[in-house]
Amino acid sequence: MEKMEDKMEKFMERTMHVSQFVLACIMFLCVVVSVVVNIARGHISSVVGYLVSISFLCLTWSLVRISYREMCGESGNK
């Protein structure tokens, strides 16, 4: 039988991984909306602006993928 502390620790780890994934998704959606709105309004009109936008999209998408892998790995191990 597991100790209460072990159960609480597992619960806190799962909660942390899920909240990390949710926050990464929110960040990705904010970046997508920001890029689309700034392109539509004409604030991003140069090649450098498009490259920076694409790099932010790639970075936040990789953050979502990493946090999803951590969340799935955590739930798969226990």
Side-chain angles (χ1 to χ4, degrees):
M1 189 170 169
E2 291 184 88
K3 293 182 180 179
M4 186 64 170
E5 293 87 22
D6 291 340
K7 289 182 181 179
M8 183 61 86
E9 185 178 341
K10 287 180 185 179
F11 174 74
M12 292 302 291
E13 286 179 6
R14 277 188 245 127
T15 304
M16 184 198 65
H17 288 293
V18 170
S19 64
Q20 182 180 1
F21 176 67
V22 169
L23 287 174
C25 289
I26 291 171
M27 284 174 45
F28 178 71
L29 290 176
C30 288
V31 169
V32 167
V33 168
S34 174
V35 167
V36 169
V37 167
N38 281 314
I39 289 173
R41 294 180 82 191
H43 295 291
I44 299 175
S45 59
S46 66
V47 175
V48 175
Y50 288 115
L51 290 175
V52 170
S53 300
I54 290 171
S55 66
F56 274 118
L57 287 169
C58 291
L59 287 171
T60 54
W61 178 247
S62 64
L63 182 66
V64 169
R65 287 184 15 224
I66 290 169
S67 62
Y68 180 74
R69 277 191 226 133
E70 284 182 7
M71 185 179 68
C72 288
E74 182 66 29
S75 63
N77 290 338
K78 304 203 183 211

XYZ file of all heavy atoms in Angstrom:
615
model
N 0.839 -1.180 0.000
C 0.000 0.000 0.000
C 0.887 1.247 0.000
O 1.864 1.323 0.731
C -0.895 -0.008 1.228
C -1.930 1.054 1.214
S -3.085 0.726 2.554
C -3.946 2.234 2.535
N 0.526 2.184 -0.861
C 1.326 3.399 -0.966
C 1.056 4.346 0.184
O -0.030 4.396 0.731
C 1.009 4.118 -2.273
C 1.477 3.389 -3.498
C 1.214 4.192 -4.729
O 2.086 4.999 -5.077
O 0.137 4.016 -5.313
N 2.065 5.086 0.489
C 1.899 6.084 1.525
C 1.105 7.256 0.967
O 1.053 7.480 -0.241
C 3.262 6.594 1.992
C 4.078 5.572 2.717
C 5.376 6.212 3.158
C 6.243 5.232 3.893
N 7.509 5.838 4.311
N 0.510 7.986 1.853
C -0.262 9.150 1.449
C 0.630 10.197 0.782
O 0.213 10.866 -0.166
C -0.962 9.747 2.681
C -1.886 10.864 2.366
S -3.205 10.235 1.359
C -4.296 11.613 1.381
N 1.881 10.314 1.241
C 2.798 11.284 0.652
C 3.120 10.936 -0.800
O 3.226 11.818 -1.647
C 4.103 11.368 1.459
C 3.956 11.945 2.852
C 3.597 10.875 3.887
O 3.854 9.682 3.650
O 3.039 11.269 4.917
N 3.268 9.621 -1.100
C 3.549 9.196 -2.466
C 2.382 9.505 -3.391
O 2.569 9.957 -4.518
C 3.862 7.705 -2.509
C 5.189 7.370 -1.842
O 6.022 8.292 -1.705
O 5.366 6.205 -1.452
N 1.180 9.264 -2.915
C 0.002 9.572 -3.720
C -0.117 11.064 -3.972
O -0.432 11.497 -5.083
C -1.262 9.064 -3.037
C -1.406 7.573 -3.038
C -2.695 7.153 -2.394
C -2.832 5.650 -2.363
N -4.089 5.225 -1.710
N 0.156 11.840 -2.951
C 0.072 13.285 -3.098
C 1.138 13.796 -4.054
O 0.890 14.680 -4.867
C 0.205 13.968 -1.734
C 0.047 15.470 -1.797
S -1.559 15.968 -2.404
C -2.469 15.928 -0.890
N 2.334 13.208 -3.980
C 3.411 13.617 -4.878
C 3.075 13.288 -6.329
O 3.296 14.110 -7.227
C 4.717 12.929 -4.476
C 5.898 13.381 -5.283
C 7.190 12.720 -4.823
O 7.238 12.213 -3.686
O 8.139 12.726 -5.614
N 2.511 12.111 -6.590
C 2.105 11.739 -7.943
C 1.014 12.672 -8.460
O 1.030 13.091 -9.616
C 1.612 10.296 -7.969
C 2.712 9.287 -7.837
C 2.149 7.893 -7.861
C 3.222 6.854 -7.598
N 2.668 5.497 -7.590
N 0.066 12.997 -7.601
C -1.012 13.901 -7.984
C -0.460 15.286 -8.334
O -0.856 15.894 -9.330
C -2.046 14.016 -6.855
C -3.104 15.034 -7.128
C -4.106 14.780 -8.047
C -3.089 16.256 -6.469
C -5.069 15.726 -8.309
C -4.053 17.211 -6.723
C -5.057 16.945 -7.649
N 0.474 15.775 -7.540
C 1.053 17.091 -7.788
C 1.875 17.097 -9.086
O 1.848 18.076 -9.834
C 1.920 17.532 -6.606
C 1.131 17.826 -5.348
S -0.111 19.102 -5.575
C 0.924 20.516 -5.805
N 2.591 16.012 -9.363
C 3.355 15.922 -10.606
C 2.434 15.915 -11.815
O 2.683 16.615 -12.801
C 4.231 14.671 -10.601
C 5.437 14.777 -9.701
C 6.261 13.513 -9.697
O 5.956 12.578 -10.485
O 7.219 13.443 -8.918
N 1.354 15.129 -11.744
C 0.394 15.107 -12.847
C -0.245 16.473 -13.045
O -0.399 16.934 -14.173
C -0.689 14.058 -12.599
C -0.250 12.671 -12.999
C -1.396 11.698 -12.923
N -1.045 10.740 -11.879
C -1.775 10.408 -10.846
N -2.965 10.924 -10.696
N -1.343 9.547 -9.961
N -0.594 17.116 -11.946
C -1.197 18.443 -12.026
C -0.235 19.442 -12.649
O -0.633 20.266 -13.482
C -1.625 18.918 -10.626
O -2.502 17.951 -10.049
C -2.315 20.255 -10.688
N 1.029 19.358 -12.277
C 2.027 20.262 -12.833
C 2.187 20.053 -14.334
O 2.241 21.017 -15.106
C 3.373 20.074 -12.140
C 4.420 21.056 -12.627
S 6.106 20.585 -12.251
C 6.310 19.110 -13.200
N 2.234 18.799 -14.780
C 2.407 18.511 -16.202
C 1.199 18.954 -17.016
O 1.345 19.500 -18.115
C 2.699 17.029 -16.426
C 4.063 16.617 -15.985
N 5.210 17.053 -16.604
C 4.474 15.824 -14.977
C 6.265 16.550 -16.008
N 5.846 15.792 -15.007
N 0.013 18.739 -16.489
C -1.192 19.167 -17.199
C -1.260 20.689 -17.277
O -1.554 21.259 -18.332
C -2.462 18.588 -16.531
C -3.713 19.216 -17.105
C -2.496 17.077 -16.704
N -0.969 21.362 -16.179
C -1.010 22.823 -16.199
C 0.074 23.392 -17.112
O -0.146 24.391 -17.795
C -0.884 23.379 -14.789
O 0.355 23.059 -14.229
N 1.228 22.758 -17.168
C 2.293 23.189 -18.078
C 1.832 23.049 -19.528
O 2.062 23.944 -20.348
C 3.543 22.353 -17.832
C 4.719 22.734 -18.685
C 5.926 21.860 -18.391
O 5.882 20.948 -17.561
N 7.012 22.118 -19.071
N 1.160 21.963 -19.853
C 0.656 21.756 -21.203
C -0.418 22.784 -21.560
O -0.408 23.353 -22.655
C 0.106 20.336 -21.353
C -0.521 20.073 -22.685
C 0.259 20.049 -23.831
C -1.877 19.852 -22.791
C -0.323 19.810 -25.064
C -2.457 19.613 -24.021
C -1.678 19.589 -25.164
N -1.325 23.050 -20.623
C -2.387 24.032 -20.860
C -1.785 25.418 -21.087
O -2.194 26.146 -22.007
C -3.402 24.029 -19.697
C -4.344 25.209 -19.781
C -4.183 22.725 -19.677
N -0.828 25.807 -20.279
C -0.194 27.111 -20.448
C 0.565 27.203 -21.772
O 0.557 28.256 -22.423
C 0.745 27.397 -19.281
C 0.057 27.734 -17.962
C 1.085 27.845 -16.849
C -0.719 29.017 -18.079
N 1.202 26.131 -22.189
C 1.900 26.135 -23.478
C 0.901 26.295 -24.624
O 1.170 27.020 -25.587
C 2.705 24.849 -23.645
N -0.251 25.638 -24.524
C -1.289 25.781 -25.551
C -1.825 27.205 -25.595
O -2.048 27.766 -26.679
C -2.424 24.798 -25.298
S -1.986 23.096 -25.623
N -2.037 27.802 -24.443
C -2.514 29.182 -24.387
C -1.483 30.121 -25.006
O -1.834 31.019 -25.786
C -2.848 29.582 -22.940
C -4.089 28.822 -22.460
C -3.053 31.087 -22.816
C -4.374 28.972 -20.989
N -0.208 29.909 -24.697
C 0.846 30.746 -25.287
C 0.864 30.594 -26.798
O 0.998 31.586 -27.531
C 2.204 30.367 -24.705
C 2.441 30.876 -23.327
S 3.967 30.302 -22.563
C 5.162 30.489 -23.846
N 0.726 29.370 -27.296
C 0.731 29.137 -28.737
C -0.446 29.844 -29.398
O -0.280 30.496 -30.436
C 0.707 27.636 -29.038
C 0.671 27.330 -30.504
C 1.782 27.559 -31.297
C -0.467 26.813 -31.092
C 1.755 27.287 -32.651
C -0.504 26.535 -32.447
C 0.607 26.776 -33.232
N -1.628 29.731 -28.806
C -2.793 30.397 -29.382
C -2.636 31.911 -29.376
O -3.031 32.587 -30.333
C -4.055 29.980 -28.631
C -4.500 28.541 -28.841
C -5.705 28.224 -27.965
C -4.830 28.294 -30.302
N -2.054 32.463 -28.326
C -1.816 33.914 -28.266
C -0.841 34.351 -29.351
O -1.044 35.399 -29.984
C -1.293 34.313 -26.891
S -2.528 34.245 -25.595
N 0.191 33.571 -29.598
C 1.154 33.914 -30.644
C 0.500 33.825 -32.014
O 0.689 34.706 -32.862
C 2.403 33.017 -30.554
C 3.291 33.173 -31.777
C 3.188 33.325 -29.303
N -0.318 32.803 -32.238
C -0.997 32.660 -33.525
C -1.915 33.851 -33.773
O -1.886 34.466 -34.843
C -1.793 31.330 -33.581
C -2.742 31.310 -34.767
C -0.842 30.156 -33.636
N -2.724 34.199 -32.778
C -3.643 35.326 -32.929
C -2.863 36.618 -33.147
O -3.226 37.441 -34.006
C -4.583 35.422 -31.704
C -5.342 36.731 -31.695
C -5.541 34.244 -31.673
N -1.802 36.806 -32.392
C -1.002 38.018 -32.520
C -0.383 38.142 -33.909
O -0.409 39.219 -34.516
C 0.092 38.025 -31.449
O 0.942 39.107 -31.632
N 0.154 37.070 -34.428
C 0.769 37.099 -35.750
C -0.286 37.381 -36.818
O -0.092 38.241 -37.692
C 1.518 35.779 -36.037
C 1.887 35.657 -37.506
C 2.753 35.676 -35.167
N -1.412 36.710 -36.742
C -2.461 36.899 -37.744
C -2.993 38.329 -37.709
O -3.157 38.978 -38.751
C -3.600 35.875 -37.531
C -4.810 36.219 -38.373
C -3.112 34.475 -37.852
N -3.240 38.854 -36.522
C -3.768 40.209 -36.401
C -2.749 41.228 -36.892
O -3.104 42.184 -37.605
C -4.197 40.495 -34.949
C -4.460 41.968 -34.725
C -5.432 39.685 -34.603
N -1.492 41.061 -36.528
C -0.475 42.014 -36.969
C -0.243 41.957 -38.474
O 0.029 42.991 -39.098
C 0.831 41.798 -36.215
C 0.790 42.394 -34.838
O 0.351 43.528 -34.661
N 1.238 41.637 -33.847
N -0.355 40.794 -39.073
C -0.259 40.705 -40.535
C -1.475 41.364 -41.172
O -1.349 42.117 -42.151
C -0.112 39.235 -40.982
C 1.277 38.714 -40.616
C -0.338 39.104 -42.482
C 1.469 37.231 -40.868
N -2.657 41.127 -40.623
C -3.876 41.710 -41.177
C -3.882 43.233 -41.060
O -4.372 43.933 -41.957
C -5.100 41.132 -40.476
N -3.344 43.753 -39.985
C -3.311 45.202 -39.791
C -2.164 45.867 -40.538
O -2.098 47.084 -40.620
C -3.208 45.534 -38.312
C -4.467 45.113 -37.546
C -4.363 45.442 -36.108
N -4.723 46.861 -35.956
C -4.542 47.536 -34.838
N -3.993 46.951 -33.797
N -4.909 48.789 -34.763
N -1.252 45.101 -41.065
C -0.154 45.648 -41.848
C 1.072 46.009 -41.051
O 1.990 46.653 -41.581
N 1.131 45.632 -39.795
C 2.310 45.938 -38.982
C 3.500 45.054 -39.341
O 4.647 45.454 -39.151
C 1.999 45.783 -37.490
C 0.984 46.757 -36.997
N 1.233 48.095 -36.896
C -0.299 46.582 -36.599
C 0.160 48.712 -36.442
N -0.793 47.807 -36.255
N 3.227 43.863 -39.810
C 4.297 42.975 -40.265
C 4.244 42.980 -41.784
O 3.317 42.439 -42.389
C 4.108 41.537 -39.729
C 4.129 41.530 -38.208
C 5.181 40.622 -40.287
C 3.821 40.184 -37.598
N 5.235 43.621 -42.391
C 5.201 43.732 -43.851
C 6.553 43.461 -44.490
O 6.687 43.548 -45.697
C 4.708 45.118 -44.261
O 5.552 46.110 -43.719
N 7.550 43.137 -43.704
C 8.871 42.878 -44.271
C 9.235 41.405 -44.088
O 8.596 40.676 -43.334
C 9.925 43.752 -43.588
O 10.062 43.372 -42.241
N 10.273 41.010 -44.762
C 10.746 39.630 -44.681
C 11.223 39.323 -43.263
O 10.959 38.235 -42.728
C 11.876 39.389 -45.709
C 12.471 38.006 -45.551
C 11.368 39.593 -47.117
N 11.890 40.278 -42.644
C 12.373 40.079 -41.274
C 11.194 39.872 -40.321
O 11.234 39.002 -39.442
C 13.247 41.274 -40.828
C 13.641 41.125 -39.372
C 14.455 41.415 -41.706
N 10.138 40.641 -40.508
C 8.947 40.492 -39.670
C 8.318 39.117 -39.818
O 7.907 38.500 -38.834
N 8.238 38.639 -41.061
C 7.692 37.296 -41.285
C 8.587 36.219 -40.687
O 8.100 35.236 -40.111
C 7.494 37.042 -42.782
C 6.340 37.827 -43.367
C 6.555 38.811 -44.320
C 5.038 37.582 -42.964
C 5.509 39.529 -44.857
C 3.976 38.298 -43.486
C 4.219 39.269 -44.441
O 3.174 39.976 -44.964
N 9.904 36.394 -40.801
C 10.823 35.408 -40.230
C 10.732 35.368 -38.705
O 10.748 34.280 -38.102
C 12.259 35.708 -40.656
C 12.588 35.460 -42.125
C 14.011 35.912 -42.442
C 12.393 34.005 -42.473
N 10.625 36.530 -38.078
C 10.476 36.571 -36.622
C 9.155 35.924 -36.208
O 9.104 35.159 -35.240
C 10.583 38.024 -36.108
C 10.181 38.120 -34.651
C 11.984 38.555 -36.313
N 8.094 36.200 -36.958
C 6.789 35.602 -36.650
C 6.836 34.082 -36.762
O 6.335 33.368 -35.891
C 5.723 36.154 -37.594
O 5.615 37.540 -37.457
N 7.451 33.609 -37.831
C 7.568 32.160 -38.026
C 8.420 31.534 -36.932
O 8.100 30.443 -36.435
C 8.124 31.849 -39.428
C 7.072 32.194 -40.481
C 8.541 30.401 -39.552
C 7.582 32.137 -41.901
N 9.484 32.225 -36.527
C 10.327 31.663 -35.472
C 9.578 31.589 -34.140
O 9.702 30.596 -33.414
C 11.612 32.466 -35.319
O 11.332 33.767 -34.857
N 8.775 32.613 -33.822
C 7.975 32.549 -32.602
C 6.943 31.430 -32.674
O 6.706 30.726 -31.675
C 7.277 33.884 -32.331
C 8.127 34.856 -31.582
C 8.487 36.069 -32.156
C 8.574 34.583 -30.306
C 9.269 36.967 -31.480
C 9.359 35.478 -29.606
C 9.712 36.674 -30.205
N 6.326 31.257 -33.825
C 5.372 30.157 -33.984
C 6.058 28.804 -33.801
O 5.530 27.915 -33.117
C 4.697 30.226 -35.353
C 3.671 31.328 -35.533
C 3.273 31.455 -37.000
C 2.452 31.066 -34.680
N 7.232 28.634 -34.378
C 7.963 27.372 -34.247
C 8.397 27.117 -32.804
O 8.292 25.986 -32.311
C 9.178 27.360 -35.161
S 8.759 27.285 -36.905
N 8.857 28.154 -32.132
C 9.295 27.990 -30.743
C 8.136 27.619 -29.824
O 8.263 26.716 -28.984
C 9.962 29.266 -30.241
C 11.359 29.548 -30.789
C 11.813 30.937 -30.377
C 12.331 28.502 -30.296
N 7.016 28.292 -29.969
C 5.879 27.957 -29.096
C 5.298 26.595 -29.451
O 4.848 25.870 -28.554
C 4.796 29.044 -29.151
O 4.403 29.272 -30.499
C 5.270 30.325 -28.512
N 5.315 26.225 -30.733
C 4.821 24.904 -31.103
C 5.721 23.808 -30.520
O 5.227 22.784 -30.041
C 4.725 24.759 -32.612
C 4.269 23.411 -33.038
C 4.981 22.480 -33.706
C 2.977 22.823 -32.792
N 4.234 21.349 -33.902
C 3.000 21.532 -33.348
C 1.833 23.269 -32.149
C 1.898 20.691 -33.286
C 0.737 22.410 -32.096
C 0.774 21.145 -32.656
N 7.022 24.030 -30.534
C 7.927 23.040 -29.945
C 7.722 22.955 -28.432
O 7.827 21.874 -27.847
C 9.381 23.349 -30.275
O 9.764 24.575 -29.699
N 7.415 24.082 -27.801
C 7.102 24.060 -26.372
C 5.847 23.237 -26.091
O 5.802 22.464 -25.122
C 6.928 25.487 -25.849
C 6.654 25.658 -24.368
C 7.863 25.201 -23.559
C 6.330 27.106 -24.065
N 4.841 23.363 -26.947
C 3.622 22.554 -26.797
C 3.953 21.074 -26.955
O 3.489 20.243 -26.168
C 2.547 22.995 -27.811
C 1.400 22.007 -27.861
C 2.030 24.386 -27.479
N 4.757 20.738 -27.957
C 5.105 19.331 -28.174
C 5.896 18.753 -27.004
O 5.645 17.617 -26.578
C 5.912 19.184 -29.461
C 5.067 19.345 -30.694
C 5.796 19.109 -31.999
N 7.074 18.456 -31.882
C 8.159 18.828 -32.539
N 8.136 19.862 -33.334
N 9.283 18.154 -32.400
N 6.837 19.522 -26.482
C 7.635 19.047 -25.353
C 6.767 18.827 -24.121
O 6.876 17.797 -23.448
C 8.781 20.041 -25.054
C 9.818 19.991 -26.160
C 9.435 19.734 -23.706
C 10.830 21.116 -26.097
N 5.906 19.782 -23.838
C 5.054 19.638 -22.653
C 4.060 18.497 -22.830
O 3.728 17.805 -21.862
C 4.330 20.954 -22.334
O 3.486 21.326 -23.396
N 3.597 18.256 -24.070
C 2.691 17.123 -24.302
C 3.408 15.799 -24.079
O 2.853 14.887 -23.470
C 2.129 17.190 -25.722
C 1.187 16.064 -26.037
C -0.089 16.040 -25.497
C 1.571 15.017 -26.866
C -0.960 15.006 -25.782
C 0.718 13.979 -27.151
C -0.546 13.974 -26.604
O -1.393 12.939 -26.880
N 4.650 15.700 -24.556
C 5.425 14.472 -24.344
C 5.671 14.217 -22.864
O 5.583 13.078 -22.411
C 6.757 14.546 -25.077
C 6.658 14.186 -26.511
C 8.019 14.007 -27.133
N 8.008 14.723 -28.392
C 8.943 15.544 -28.806
N 10.018 15.747 -28.103
N 8.836 16.147 -29.956
N 5.973 15.269 -22.129
C 6.187 15.121 -20.683
C 4.904 14.673 -20.003
O 4.920 13.820 -19.111
C 6.679 16.424 -20.072
C 8.117 16.712 -20.358
C 8.578 17.992 -19.681
O 7.804 18.570 -18.881
O 9.708 18.403 -19.930
N 3.785 15.250 -20.404
C 2.508 14.886 -19.796
C 2.156 13.429 -20.108
O 1.734 12.687 -19.229
C 1.394 15.810 -20.301
C 0.051 15.578 -19.640
S -1.225 16.690 -20.239
C -1.418 16.102 -21.911
N 2.349 13.017 -21.349
C 2.031 11.631 -21.713
C 3.012 10.659 -21.057
O 2.615 9.575 -20.622
C 2.086 11.462 -23.211
S 0.722 12.251 -24.052
N 4.260 11.023 -20.959
C 5.250 10.161 -20.306
C 4.964 10.000 -18.835
O 5.136 8.930 -18.267
N 4.521 11.071 -18.206
C 4.194 11.013 -16.780
C 2.984 10.118 -16.532
O 2.983 9.318 -15.603
C 3.914 12.427 -16.260
C 3.603 12.505 -14.790
C 4.787 12.122 -13.924
O 5.931 12.308 -14.339
O 4.540 11.607 -12.824
N 1.964 10.237 -17.350
C 0.764 9.424 -17.124
C 0.998 7.974 -17.544
O 0.382 7.068 -17.008
C -0.434 10.000 -17.882
O -0.192 9.964 -19.281
N 1.910 7.749 -18.498
C 2.206 6.389 -18.931
C 3.035 5.599 -17.939
O 2.943 4.390 -17.838
N 3.867 6.310 -17.167
C 4.735 5.625 -16.187
C 3.998 5.196 -14.944
O 4.448 4.327 -14.238
C 5.900 6.541 -15.801
C 6.881 6.718 -16.946
O 6.931 5.880 -17.835
N 7.625 7.797 -16.919
N 2.879 5.809 -14.675
C 2.219 5.515 -13.403
C 0.860 4.932 -13.602
O 0.191 5.008 -14.514
C 2.127 6.788 -12.594
C 3.522 7.337 -12.450
C 3.663 8.224 -11.304
C 5.037 8.722 -11.327
N 5.924 9.087 -10.693
